[in-house]
């Protein structure tokens, strides 16, 4: 009888032990297999970060991806760069949300890599780091007067109307009639379009409430978009140009002479450049239809390209510390096509204006002294996304290629980086054989430093509140404008 | 309990990237050609699960704003349109679609690696495909907005189209859609495909 009891007890212990083991395995099975599970950390939660994560998760069954983001909110330029009247471009957020909610993906917002945690510490915790924190700096025009009140970078202006917390104090002065935008890319056109759009069109977008109010008071009714070279070198694309041409309440004002020789050169252009140039030619030179003539007569706002002009000084009225005009040097072109160079002719021209927005490009900044950085090109030096002289470090997005390209470009570049990383895992160049602590190590470091990350479900509380607030005024969302307010919502139950 | 938790986790993993496509051929708006573009769906985005139809705040260009139950499994032979996707590694993937199917969502349903970042709103070029010569001319002319977005696609060819704008009809039976090789490294093992 005692033997029976003993056997029964042993059996019970055995069953209990197997159950616990099974339970342990089922709940944290991945931990048991962690020596075969690469842990990757991605710095930056914009399109580059999320597309890299997406590709890694899909291609490797065991990889764990942690995405770190400085702000409490994810999505980078999709949230803060894409114009409010381009909501379809923001649909990509749904794809990124899917990725963020993948069981092997975690989001850590409100973590400043470089300040709250170093890249060295991340390398201790993870098998690989992918830097995809984009370009938050600005290319300066480099002319006297650039610091005058009334002169803004397009990056800051766009950040302002899109709710980027660091740009909320911009309070641009829109009380003048003429605005000059330096640069002729899509960002320049976005700025022009937001400045001249009928308010009714903007009211139903996710533009911030303060920006909407400022634009309602705006007296800006003429926007000149200035570029160093000619019509065949504009960096903008046809969709954005068409939006300007069709912008209600506005009419185009171009200089016909700027288009000399363009019609003849059309036939040799590749299709995208050809269609874009044809539209510009038509807008600038063609006699409009009667209907269009009527529309233009009624238009109270004007926009136009000014070609072959480089800024040499931003002028102020004597004794008045505000921008009053721009001094532009007149150029001529040497060479043709994409490689044409602007050469000074010696002539200058002054354009009176009360608002200058420089839209000549973003610029990446170094965030950690241990990460190689090419300050001339303002990128992290790399080959196919593998950072030079830095094992285990990769980069994707604008930090990798420079600050040009749309979401599709960044997507392809991010997939490339993910492929490079996976190749390295496969070949053994990236050693994933020893287990790494991953987010456990980083989370306790952050806790010691008083930094509390924002999880993806915390973001969803912010998202939910913004959407509900937007519903009140018929907007897709009413953005929360300060980090403090975002954190408050994230922490609330 | 533990077993079911484990089972649920593994199901979630395998089905995570599977999206269900609304069946536009059943949508009265599509049939009447009165489906409006850029219409915001006021319904709230619910948390994602694999079998959710597109019931969310969405701006699209074509008939996608209404979620439909769409049973795309009916094998009515009159309806079936055979499509072959050729992925970036050159692999041929034959798929059976139906008249009225949107080719991008058909691709997603079958796990073809074709992105659709803007979700068929003509705001990106990530669903760029090359159409087989025999079928290219059977497609309706692209609208200006599609041409504008195609201009942004790398490696544009004469037979380029955006998959999100291709809706299957019976005379497209046998259509072959090739995914462009837009990236510089295609294979983990370093294999470089022969150019077509």
């Amino acid at each position: 009888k005692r033997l029976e009891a003993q056997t029964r007890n042993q059996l019970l212990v055995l069953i209990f032990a197997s159950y616990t083991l099974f339970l342990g395995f089922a709940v944290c099975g991945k931990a048991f297999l962690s020596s075969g599970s690469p842990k990757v950390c991605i710095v930056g939660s914009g399109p580059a970060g999320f597309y890299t994560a997406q590709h890694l998760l899909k291609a490797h069954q065991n990889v764990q991806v942690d995405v770190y983001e400085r702000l409490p909110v994810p999505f980078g330029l999709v949230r803060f760069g894409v114009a409010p009247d381009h909501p379809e471009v923001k649909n990509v957020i749904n794809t990124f949300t899917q990725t963020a909610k993948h069981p092997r993906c975690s989001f850590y917002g409100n973590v400043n890599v470089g300040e709250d945690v170093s890249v060295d510490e991340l390398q201790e915790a993870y098998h690989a780091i992918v830097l995809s924190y984009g370009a938050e700096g600005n290319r300066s025009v480099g002319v006297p007067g650039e610091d005058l009140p009334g002169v803004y970078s397009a990056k800051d202006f766009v950040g302002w109307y899109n709710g980027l917390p660091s740009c909320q104090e911009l309070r641009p002065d829109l009380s003048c009639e003429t605005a000059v935008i330096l640069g002729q890319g899509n960002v320049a056109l976005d700025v022009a379009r937001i400045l001249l759009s009928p308010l009714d069109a903007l009211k139903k977008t996710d533009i911030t409430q303060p920006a909407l109010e400022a634009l309602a008071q705006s007296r800006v009714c003429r926007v000149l978009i200035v570029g160093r070279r000619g019509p065949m070198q504009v960096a903008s694309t046809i969709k954005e140009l068409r939006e300007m041409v069709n912008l209600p309440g506005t009419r185009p004002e171009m200089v016909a002479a700027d288009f000399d020789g363009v019609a003849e050169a059309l036939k040799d252009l590749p299709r995208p450049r050809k269609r874009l140039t044809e539209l510009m030619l038509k807008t600038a030179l063609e006699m409009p239809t009667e209907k269009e003539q009527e529309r233009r007569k009624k238009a109270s706002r004007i926009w136009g390209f000014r070609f072959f002009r480089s800024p040499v000084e931003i002028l102020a009225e004597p004794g008045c510390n505000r921008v009053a005009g721009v001094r532009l040097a007149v150029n001529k072109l040497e060479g043709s096509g994409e490689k044409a160079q602007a050469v000074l002719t010696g002539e200058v021209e002054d354009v009176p204006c009360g608002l200058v927005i420089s839209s000549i490009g973003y610029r990446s900044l170094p965030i950690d002294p241990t990460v190689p950085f090419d300050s001339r090109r303002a990128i992290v030096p790399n080959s196919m996304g593998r950072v030079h002289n830095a094992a285990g470090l990769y980069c994707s997005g604008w930090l990798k290629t420079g600050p040009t390209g749309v979401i599709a470009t960044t997507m392809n570049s991010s997939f490339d980086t993910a492929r490079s990383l996976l190749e390295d895992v496969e070949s053994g160049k990236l050693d994933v054989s020893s287990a790494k602590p991953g987010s456990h190590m980083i989370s306790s470091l952050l806790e010691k430093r008083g930094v509390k990350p924002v999880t993806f479900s915390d973001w969803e509380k912010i998202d939910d509140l913004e959407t509900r607030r937007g519903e009140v005024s018929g907007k897709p969302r009413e953005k929360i404008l300060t980090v403090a307010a975002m954190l408050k919502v994230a922490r609330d139950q | 309990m533990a077993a079911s938790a484990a089972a649920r986790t593994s199901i979630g993993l395998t089905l995570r990237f599977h999206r269900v496509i609304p069946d536009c051929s059943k949508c009265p708006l599509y049939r009447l050609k009165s489906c409006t573009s850029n219409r915001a769906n006021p319904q709230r985005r619910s948390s994602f699960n694999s079998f959710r139809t597109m019931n969310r705040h969405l701006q699209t260009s074509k008939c996608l704003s209404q979620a439909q139950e769409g049973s795309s499994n009916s094998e009515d032979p009159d309806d079936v349109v055979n499509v072959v996707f050729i992925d970036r590694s050159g692999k041929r993937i034959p798929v059976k679609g139906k008249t009225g199917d949107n080719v991008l969502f058909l691709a997603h349903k079958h796990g073809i690696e074709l992105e659709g970042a803007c979700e068929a709103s003509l705001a990106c070029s990530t669903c760029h495909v090359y159409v087989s010569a025999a079928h290219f001319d059977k497609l309706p002319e692209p609208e200006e907005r599609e041409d504008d977005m195609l201009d942004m696609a790398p490696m544009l060819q004469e037979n380029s189209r955006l998959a999100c704008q291709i809706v299957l009809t019976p005379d497209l039976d046998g259509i072959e859609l090739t995914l462009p090789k837009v990236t510089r490294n295609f294979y983990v093992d370093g294999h470089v495909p022969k150019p077509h």
Side-chain angles (χ1 to χ4, degrees):
Chain A
K1 211 178 175 186
R2 251 187 100 208
L3 207 59
E4 267 180 52
Q6 197 178 40
T7 316
R8 189 199 63 199
N9 287 342
Q10 281 173 341
L11 201 60
L12 279 173
V13 168
L14 199 63
I15 291 170
F16 181 73
S18 335
Y19 179 84
T20 312
L21 205 68
F22 183 44
L23 183 68
F25 183 80
V27 168
C28 45
K30 293 293 174 251
F32 278 70
L33 301 170
S34 65
S35 56
S37 312
K39 291 203 165 84
V40 178
C41 155
I42 296 185
V43 179
S45 70
F50 269 110
Y51 272 129
T52 309
Q54 177 185 312
H55 193 95
L56 289 173
L57 289 165
K58 188 157 190 199
H60 195 291
Q61 299 310 308
N62 290 326
V63 69
Q64 168 73 34
V65 178
D66 292 341
V67 180
Y68 289 85
E69 163 60 50
R70 181 173 56 190
L71 287 171
V73 300
F75 308 134
L77 282 179
V78 180
R79 177 180 164 100
F80 295 117
V82 174
D85 55 354
H86 288 167
E88 321 84 12
V89 179
K90 302 191 198 202
N91 282 345
V92 75
I93 284 178
N94 296 325
T95 309
F96 297 160
T97 298
Q98 207 176 329
T99 301
K101 293 169 100 149
H102 191 287
R104 287 184 279 118
C105 184
S106 298
F107 172 78
Y108 298 96
N110 194 41
V111 178
N112 189 329
V113 172
E115 267 188 36
D116 298 334
V117 61
S118 71
V119 171
D120 273 347
E121 285 163 340
L122 290 176
Q123 289 211 274
E124 255 187 76
Y126 292 94
H127 293 105
I129 318 252
V130 181
L131 300 167
S132 49
Y133 60 80
E136 65 180 290
N138 199 46
R139 275 185 72 200
S140 80
V141 187
V143 300
E146 197 169 353
D147 297 324
L148 280 170
V151 182
Y152 311 98
S153 71
K155 178 187 80 68
D156 288 345
F157 193 77
V158 170
W160 168 71
Y161 65 63
N162 270 338
L164 186 59
S166 58
C167 297
Q168 292 315 296
E169 305 301 308
L170 198 75
R171 290 185 241 281
D173 186 340
L174 305 176
S175 60
C176 56
E177 285 189 3
T178 302
V180 166
I181 302 177
L182 303 171
Q184 295 175 328
N186 282 340
V187 179
L189 291 192
D190 275 355
V191 170
R193 195 177 69 250
I194 296 295
L195 279 172
L196 297 178
S197 276
L199 213 64
D200 284 339
L202 294 177
K203 270 191 194 145
K204 298 294 173 193
T205 69
D206 64 6
I207 195 169
T208 67
Q209 195 54 30
L212 202 54
E213 283 163 18
L215 287 165
Q217 307 297 319
S218 164
R219 288 181 50 217
V220 175
C221 59
R222 187 160 164 264
V223 176
L224 302 177
I225 308 164
V226 176
R228 293 170 304 152
R229 300 185 294 173
M232 288 190 283
Q233 286 80 35
V234 294
S236 51
T237 53
I238 194 169
K239 172 172 174 261
E240 283 72 13
L241 178 62
R242 222 184 272 287
E243 285 171 337
M244 285 310 299
V245 171
N246 296 332
L247 194 59
T250 70
R251 62 179 169 82
E253 182 192 271
M254 313 262 214
V255 175
D258 284 347
F259 293 85
D260 286 347
V262 171
E264 293 74 24
L266 268 184
K267 58 178 168 23
D268 299 320
L269 297 173
R271 177 188 130 153
R273 178 60 71 184
K274 180 159 181 265
R275 290 180 77 241
L276 174 62
T277 311
E278 274 171 352
L279 180 58
M280 253 193 289
L281 265 179
K282 179 171 170 208
T283 309
L285 301 181
E286 211 178 78
M287 186 59 172
T289 61
E290 251 191 71
K291 186 171 160 205
E292 173 66 8
Q293 281 186 53
E294 276 304 305
R295 193 193 72 80
R296 288 188 188 183
K297 257 196 239 142
K298 291 198 210 123
S300 55
R301 294 174 157 187
I302 303 168
W303 69 277
F305 284 122
R306 289 293 179 275
F307 295 106
F308 311 108
R309 299 289 185 274
S310 294
V312 290
E313 190 179 341
I314 301 184
L315 312 163
E317 286 289 344
C320 184
N321 191 36
R322 312 214 48 233
V323 63
V326 189
R327 177 156 292 161
L328 300 171
V330 178
N331 298 325
K332 63 175 195 276
L333 271 193
E334 271 177 17
S336 64
E338 310 296 321
K339 300 221 186 318
Q341 303 259 25
V343 170
L344 294 171
T345 59
E347 266 185 70
V348 224
E349 168 184 288
D350 285 357
V351 176
C353 63
L355 176 65
V356 174
I357 297 185
S358 74
S359 181
I360 59 170
Y362 290 50
R363 217 185 130 80
S364 290
L365 303 176
I367 56 166
D368 192 293
T370 61
V371 176
F373 191 79
D374 177 342
S375 5
R376 190 182 60 85
R377 294 172 62 196
I379 58 166
V380 169
N382 70 92
S383 304
M384 303 283 244
R386 295 177 175 99
V387 178
H388 290 166
N389 305 319
L393 268 192
Y394 299 80
C395 56
S396 63
W398 282 4
L399 186 62
K400 168 186 173 192
T401 56
T404 57
V406 293
I407 291 177
T409 328
T410 299
M411 177 186 87
N412 290 323
S413 150
S414 303
F415 287 173
D416 268 345
T417 296
R419 266 182 269 263
S420 293
L421 198 161
L422 292 166
E423 269 176 33
D424 292 351
V425 169
E426 189 91 355
S427 69
K429 185 163 167 215
L430 187 65
D431 182 12
V432 302
S433 57
S434 49
K436 290 260 192 173
S439 60
H440 292 132
M441 174 187 148
I442 303 299
S443 295
S444 45
L445 267 181
L446 292 172
E447 208 184 313
K448 273 191 217 127
R449 294 168 188 174
V451 176
K452 192 159 184 278
V454 169
T455 65
F456 202 75
S457 22
D458 290 337
W459 146 247
E460 287 181 310
K461 288 186 223 153
I462 299 171
D463 185 26
D464 195 64
L465 181 62
E466 288 185 344
T467 310
R468 281 188 286 122
R469 283 173 60 189
E471 270 163 20
V472 168
S473 30
K475 296 165 82 169
R477 69 176 62 241
E478 190 58 66
K479 286 180 181 167
I480 295 175
L481 302 176
T482 65
V483 170
M486 290 173 185
L487 289 176
K488 186 164 186 301
V489 176
R491 312 286 182 226
D492 275 349
Q493 282 317 108
Chain B
M1 181 202 78
S4 59
R8 254 182 286 126
T9 315
S10 64
I11 285 171
L13 282 173
T14 51
L15 294 178
R16 187 53 59 172
F17 288 100
H18 185 98
R19 300 183 225 182
V20 177
I21 307 95
D23 187 347
C24 286
S25 62
K26 302 250 184 316
C27 171
L29 289 175
Y30 173 75
R31 283 180 184 276
L32 293 171
K33 300 205 191 304
S34 63
C35 178
T36 53
S37 32
N38 295 328
R39 194 175 142 270
N41 185 327
Q43 283 171 285
R44 273 292 292 129
R45 205 178 341 160
S46 55
S47 67
F48 182 86
N49 78 66
S50 305
F51 294 102
R52 178 178 66 99
T53 51
M54 287 166 58
N55 229 354
R56 53 177 185 243
H57 191 91
L58 187 63
Q59 309 274 359
T60 61
S61 65
K62 272 197 168 169
C63 48
L64 298 164
S65 45
Q66 287 300 328
Q68 294 290 323
E69 265 310 302
S71 61
S72 314
N73 293 320
S74 63
E75 291 277 326
D76 177 359
D78 290 340
D79 251 1
V80 167
V81 178
N82 292 293
V83 178
V84 177
F85 287 101
I86 300 167
D87 77 7
R88 298 183 208 279
S89 65
K91 185 167 117 193
R92 294 174 64 85
I93 303 161
V95 145
K96 282 197 189 311
K98 277 166 60 261
T99 301
D101 274 352
N102 177 301
V103 149
L104 175 63
F105 295 110
L106 184 67
H108 285 169
K109 196 169 130 183
H110 290 89
I112 313 281
E113 278 191 344
L114 192 57
E115 289 294 322
C118 75
E119 295 172 357
S121 327
L122 287 179
C124 78
S125 57
T126 58
C127 69
H128 172 213
V129 289
Y130 302 133
V131 180
S132 42
H135 301 88
F136 183 70
D137 294 322
K138 296 191 180 150
L139 295 173
E141 283 289 304
E143 52 176 292
E144 195 173 66
R145 295 198 307 147
E146 182 184 346
D147 272 333
D148 286 354
M149 295 325 299
L150 272 172
D151 280 357
M152 311 271 284
M155 303 177 62
L156 192 65
Q157 287 177 181
E158 289 290 329
N159 61 338
S160 286
R161 289 299 298 261
L162 295 182
C164 70
Q165 302 300 301
I166 301 176
V167 177
L168 291 179
T169 56
D171 64 351
L172 292 178
D173 191 50
I175 190 171
E176 297 192 353
L177 300 168
T178 306
L179 274 54
K181 294 178 179 45
V182 291
T183 56
R184 284 182 293 161
N185 52 342
F186 319 123
Y187 293 98
V188 171
D189 65 4
H191 167 71
V192 177
K194 287 192 283 294
H196 293 350

